Amino acid sequence: MSSNLHAASSQWANRPADERFWALSDMRAACTVARNNSVGAVAPMSSLSATVIGDEVGLVGTSNVPAKFTNYAFGQFCANVGAPATYLRSLPAQVATDCLNVGLARKADTSDRHLLFHKNGGLTLRASLSDVYDRVWDDDVCQMLEGLDGWRTPAGLYSGHGESRIATAEDILPGQINIGAGSKIGPAGLYASDHDLFAFLVAPDRVIKGGSGGGSLMRGIFVRNSEVGDSSLSMTFFLMDAVCGNHIVWGATGVHELKVRHAGRNTARKAFHGFETELRKYRDGAAEEEAGIEAAKKYVLGVSKEECLNAILKYAKGHSLELSKERVSSALDCAEEHETWYGNPRTVWAAVAGLTHTSQRTGFADDRAKIDKAAGKLMNMAF
C-alpha cells in the first residue's frame, strides 16, 4: 500500500450539481459564457461604498450602479477592508453595510482595486484584486486540456449531486476499481464555479512498471485555477496504482507540483503556456520514469537504519526538503515492515514509499501533500 490522494475525492463528494460537468467541452462552454459576461473596472477604494440591495449587502462606485456580491467576492472584499466576513454574514444587511463602510473609510488612502463583475441583467462582483494580479481565464485552461491527446477523466460513481446514468464499458478506464459497466455514475472529475476550477485527468494508455506488487502505474494530474484570486494556477502530477469510483487515488508515488501565483506582470500567463508542454512530456515519459524507479530500487542508502536516516536527512537539508528526523525514521520503519511490497528497505525507493505510506497518518491534508511532494523529490537521490 502506498500514498492515497484525496483531493479529487473531496471534490467528488462536495461539489453541488451546477458546478459538475460530464466533459471538458461542457465545462469550457460554461467558463466561456462566464468570461463573455465578465467586465472589469479599476476603482480607488475611496470611490467605493457598501449599500443595501433588497436584503443583501451590495457595492456601489462613482457610476452609482449597485452590484451584488458572490459569496466568495464578499469574503474577499471584507478581507480588503479588514472586516470579519463570517461575522458580517450573520448580521442584518444594513448593519453589515455600516460596518463595511467604516472599514472602507479607514482604507480610503490605499491603492486602486481591480474589480471583476459578472454582467447579466445586473452587476455581481466576482473579485476585488490588487494591480499585481495576473489572470488566467478558466476557459483557456479548459481549451488547453481539450487539446491534449490521451488524457481522460475517470468515471465517478453518482454522488447524489446532479444528473446520473448507467455506465457502459467504454466509460470505465483501466485501473479503475469499485466501479464498472452497469454502475450508476454522475458528472465527476471536472468542476468549475464562480471562483475556481478543478480537473482530474489520467493517461490510461501510458503505463509504466513499478506499482505495488510489481504491477503497472498510470499517470494522473490534478489541475487547479482561479480567475478571481482563490488559488494559484497549479498542476499536481503523480503515478498511481488505481482510482476508485469516488475518485480516491490509490498507490500514488512521484507526487510533484507546478504552481504559479497569479501575481506579477504576465507571470502566470507566461507559465501557463509552458504547462501544455510539461503535460505532453509527462504523458510520454514512460521509459525515463521506469529507469528512475529501477535506479531508486537499486540505490542503497546504507547497511543500517541509522546510516539510511543520516543519508536522507543530509540530502533533505541540502535540498530544502521539509522532512523531520521523526518523519524519516517512521518511514524507514514502515519500509522494513512492508518489505514484501517495497523490496530492500534500505533503498531510496523503499524510503520514498515509506514516506508516502506514513503520510496518510497525518491529520491535515496540507501536511500530507508536503510530505508526498518531498518524497517525490527524494527520488533524485538515485541520480
Side-chain angles (χ1 to χ4, degrees):
M1 181 178 177
S2 300
S3 172
N4 302 325
L5 305 181
H6 295 267
S9 184
S10 177
Q11 300 280 336
W12 170 86
N14 296 308
R15 289 280 186 164
D18 61 352
E19 296 179 8
R20 296 170 173 265
F21 299 90
W22 287 103
L24 271 168
S25 58
D26 299 331
M27 186 161 73
R28 178 175 58 82
C31 291
T32 299
V33 169
R35 179 176 182 173
N36 291 340
N37 286 330
S38 294
V39 59
V42 179
M45 291 288 279
S46 58
S47 70
L48 302 174
S49 61
T51 187
V52 177
I53 304 175
D55 59 352
E56 299 180 29
V57 178
L59 187 70
V60 68
T62 55
S63 65
N64 206 34
V65 178
K68 295 183 177 181
F69 289 97
T70 65
N71 185 65
Y72 174 79
F74 181 77
Q76 189 179 58
F77 193 77
C78 288
N80 291 164
V81 302
T86 301
Y87 176 64
L88 292 189
R89 287 190 179 103
S90 70
L91 300 177
Q94 185 60 62
V95 178
T97 294
D98 293 340
C99 292
L100 273 178
N101 283 328
V102 171
L104 279 165
R106 291 173 177 170
K107 298 284 184 177
D109 59 346
T110 58
S111 61
D112 292 346
R113 304 310 299 172
H114 286 239
L115 308 175
L116 182 70
F117 296 94
H118 178 80
K119 187 176 182 180
N120 187 9
L123 289 180
T124 302
L125 184 69
R126 294 185 59 201
S128 171
L129 300 156
S130 72
D131 59 358
V132 300
Y133 185 78
D134 186 33
R135 178 171 290 112
V136 174
W137 292 97
D138 287 342
D139 69 335
D140 285 339
V141 176
C142 293
Q143 187 172 4
M144 179 199 69
L145 296 177
E146 277 190 285
L148 296 172
D149 295 328
W151 291 95
R152 291 179 58 189
T153 301
L157 291 170
Y158 180 57
S159 63
H161 304 282
E163 302 173 348
S164 67
R165 63 178 176 82
I166 301 302
T168 66
E170 289 72 26
D171 291 313
I172 310 303
L173 303 183
Q176 288 205 255
I177 57 177
N178 302 328
I179 188 173
S183 296
K184 187 178 182 180
I185 61 174
L190 301 170
Y191 313 98
S193 71
D194 58 34
H195 63 90
D196 71 339
L197 173 146
F198 183 96
F200 173 27
L201 303 172
V202 300
D205 61 338
R206 291 291 192 275
V207 298
I208 66 173
K209 298 176 182 177
S212 300
S216 295
L217 293 166
M218 185 165 55
R219 286 166 176 74
I221 56 169
F222 300 147
V223 182
R224 297 175 177 86
N225 187 53
S226 174
E227 300 174 342
V228 296
D230 188 37
S231 69
S232 299
L233 169 65
S234 69
M235 291 188 180
T236 304
F237 301 81
F238 48 88
L239 300 173
M240 62 182 180
D241 286 329
V243 57
C244 63
N246 62 358
H247 282 185
I248 295 175
V249 171
W250 294 87
T253 190
V255 181
H256 62 286
E257 185 176 55
L258 296 177
K259 178 183 288 189
V260 182
R261 292 181 61 235
H262 291 270
R265 189 176 298 278
N266 295 325
T267 298
R269 279 171 282 182
K270 287 179 180 177
F272 168 69
H273 292 302
F275 277 17
E276 182 175 354
T277 300
E278 290 297 322
L279 278 170
R280 294 186 188 279
K281 285 169 56 180
Y282 184 60
R283 177 180 177 270
D284 296 329
E288 180 180 343
E289 286 176 339
E290 284 185 0
I293 290 173
E294 286 304 310
K297 288 180 175 179
K298 293 176 182 178
Y299 191 99
V300 178
L301 295 163
V303 296
S304 67
K305 175 187 173 181
E306 192 67 24
E307 288 184 8
C308 296
L309 180 64
N310 290 335
I312 292 172
L313 292 177
K314 181 179 179 180
Y315 183 87
K317 183 178 180 180
H319 293 79
S320 301
L321 304 185
E322 297 183 36
L323 292 173
S324 67
K325 182 176 181 179
E326 292 75 15
R327 173 65 58 189
V328 175
S329 177
S330 177
L332 292 172
D333 289 340
C334 177
E336 190 161 2
E337 179 183 352
H338 299 288
E339 185 173 355
T340 55
W341 291 348
Y342 305 137
N344 183 351
R346 304 292 181 239
T347 63
V348 170
W349 176 254
V352 169
L355 280 168
T356 53
H357 187 153
T358 56
S359 75
Q360 300 310 297
R361 303 170 188 168
T362 303
F364 298 99
D366 287 348
D367 292 337
R368 290 197 298 269
K370 287 180 182 177
I371 296 165
D372 291 341
K373 289 166 192 171
K377 293 178 180 178
L378 198 64
M379 286 280 287
N380 294 328
M381 285 188 75
F383 297 93

